[in-house]
Amino acid sequence: MNTLLALYQEMGWGLSLLVLATFLLAGTVKGVIGLGLPTVSMGLLGLAMAPAQAAALLIVPSTFTNIWQLMLGGHLRGLAVRLWPMLLAIFVGTGIGSLWLGIDGGKWVVHALGGALVLYSLSGLFLPVLRVPARHEAWLGPLCGVATGIITAATGVFVIPAVPYLQALGLNRDELVQALGLSFSVSTLALALGLLWHGELGGGELGASLLLLVPALLGMQLGQWLRQRISAVMFKRVFFTGLALLGAHLLING
């Protein structure tokens, strides 16, 4: 129990409450739109702590919720066969990024995190629905995978360009949700290995991350309840607008 609480004791009550509230909100967003837990948590926690520490805290909630997401839908085998070049490239790209860049706590990392959030938000708000012809998947998938991996290693955000690419494959809703869970699971595993390599992920961080499963899962339940009662389109607009403002703040003042 001391291991689980050690990091929170170091952070103090104020920052600990911010962390818990952040994962409750991030889980709620994921419950409504099917993604956003690591993006929201990295963006908000980037205001108060080093990105490497924030990334370490999201490992367990992100892994658990993404594996849960990828196991639902019945399309896992087909998606794994179709997407394995991209998934392998994410792993390789994250490894390259961890060796080359890494979330080392430098000020540039906070600016990079802000830039990634702004780019993702703008793509969510304004990018039209694209379609990737099947003949281009063989080269475009690995290219997007490597880019996603490098951005993941530098910022802890693994949605760019993976999410727009997957959305452009013409998958049905169930397939897309499962494909996102598969991509995020690989990204989280690769990020965890990168953090471990840099000494940023130890027993204290994993224990603190494990406790964050509770607010993340509560948030997901709340989000699923809200999804039946609010406009998903309007929620996405508010979400991406807020994320863009947060990213802009980190980019300019981070």
Side-chain angles (χ1 to χ4, degrees):
M1 192 65 173
N2 289 335
T3 302
L4 296 178
L5 297 176
L7 190 59
Y8 294 106
Q9 292 171 343
E10 291 179 16
M11 290 190 296
W13 280 106
L15 186 53
S16 296
L17 289 175
L18 173 63
V19 170
L20 293 172
T22 293
F23 277 86
L24 180 64
L25 175 61
T28 301
V29 172
K30 186 176 179 69
V32 175
I33 64 177
L35 50 83
L37 189 149
T39 312
V40 172
S41 58
M42 285 299 299
L44 290 176
L45 294 182
L47 296 170
M49 64 176 61
Q53 187 178 21
L57 289 175
L58 71 83
I59 293 299
V60 175
S62 180
T63 299
F64 186 89
T65 56
N66 287 326
I67 290 177
W68 182 4
Q69 182 173 329
L70 73 87
M71 295 304 293
L72 301 176
H75 305 287
L76 180 58
R77 184 172 183 177
L79 288 170
V81 171
R82 181 175 182 180
L83 299 176
W84 75 262
M86 173 193 172
L87 300 174
L88 178 60
I90 288 175
F91 209 90
V92 172
T94 306
I96 293 172
S98 295
L99 294 174
W100 175 33
L101 300 170
I103 308 180
D104 62 1
K107 195 172 182 179
W108 73 269
V109 177
V110 181
H111 292 297
L113 172 60
L117 294 178
V118 169
L119 184 61
Y120 177 51
S121 301
L122 293 178
S123 70
L125 285 170
F126 303 115
L127 189 68
V129 178
L130 303 175
R131 285 291 178 266
V132 174
R135 66 181 183 277
H136 294 320
E137 289 184 37
W139 65 270
L140 188 55
L143 181 62
C144 288
V146 169
T148 299
I150 292 174
I151 293 172
T152 296
T155 68
V157 174
F158 34 77
V159 292
I160 292 292
V163 171
Y165 172 77
L166 292 173
Q167 290 172 333
L169 294 182
L171 304 172
N172 64 43
R173 178 176 174 80
D174 290 340
E175 288 175 329
L176 178 59
V177 169
Q178 205 165 6
L180 290 171
L182 187 58
S183 174
F184 295 162
S185 296
V186 171
S187 293
T188 304
L189 175 60
L191 176 62
L193 292 175
L195 291 170
L196 188 63
W197 174 268
H198 284 282
E200 301 284 356
L201 185 63
E205 289 80 11
L206 284 174
S209 181
L210 179 62
L211 288 181
L212 292 174
L213 263 178
V214 176
L217 292 177
L218 286 175
M220 284 187 67
Q221 292 296 318
L222 175 60
Q224 290 168 0
W225 179 82
L226 285 174
R227 187 168 57 192
Q228 308 302 320
R229 292 163 176 80
I230 63 175
S231 166
V233 173
M234 180 59 67
F235 185 89
K236 283 186 177 181
R237 288 176 183 168
V238 173
F239 165 65
F240 283 122
T241 300
L243 200 63
L245 294 173
L246 175 61
H249 174 77
L250 292 173
L251 180 61
I252 297 170
N253 302 312

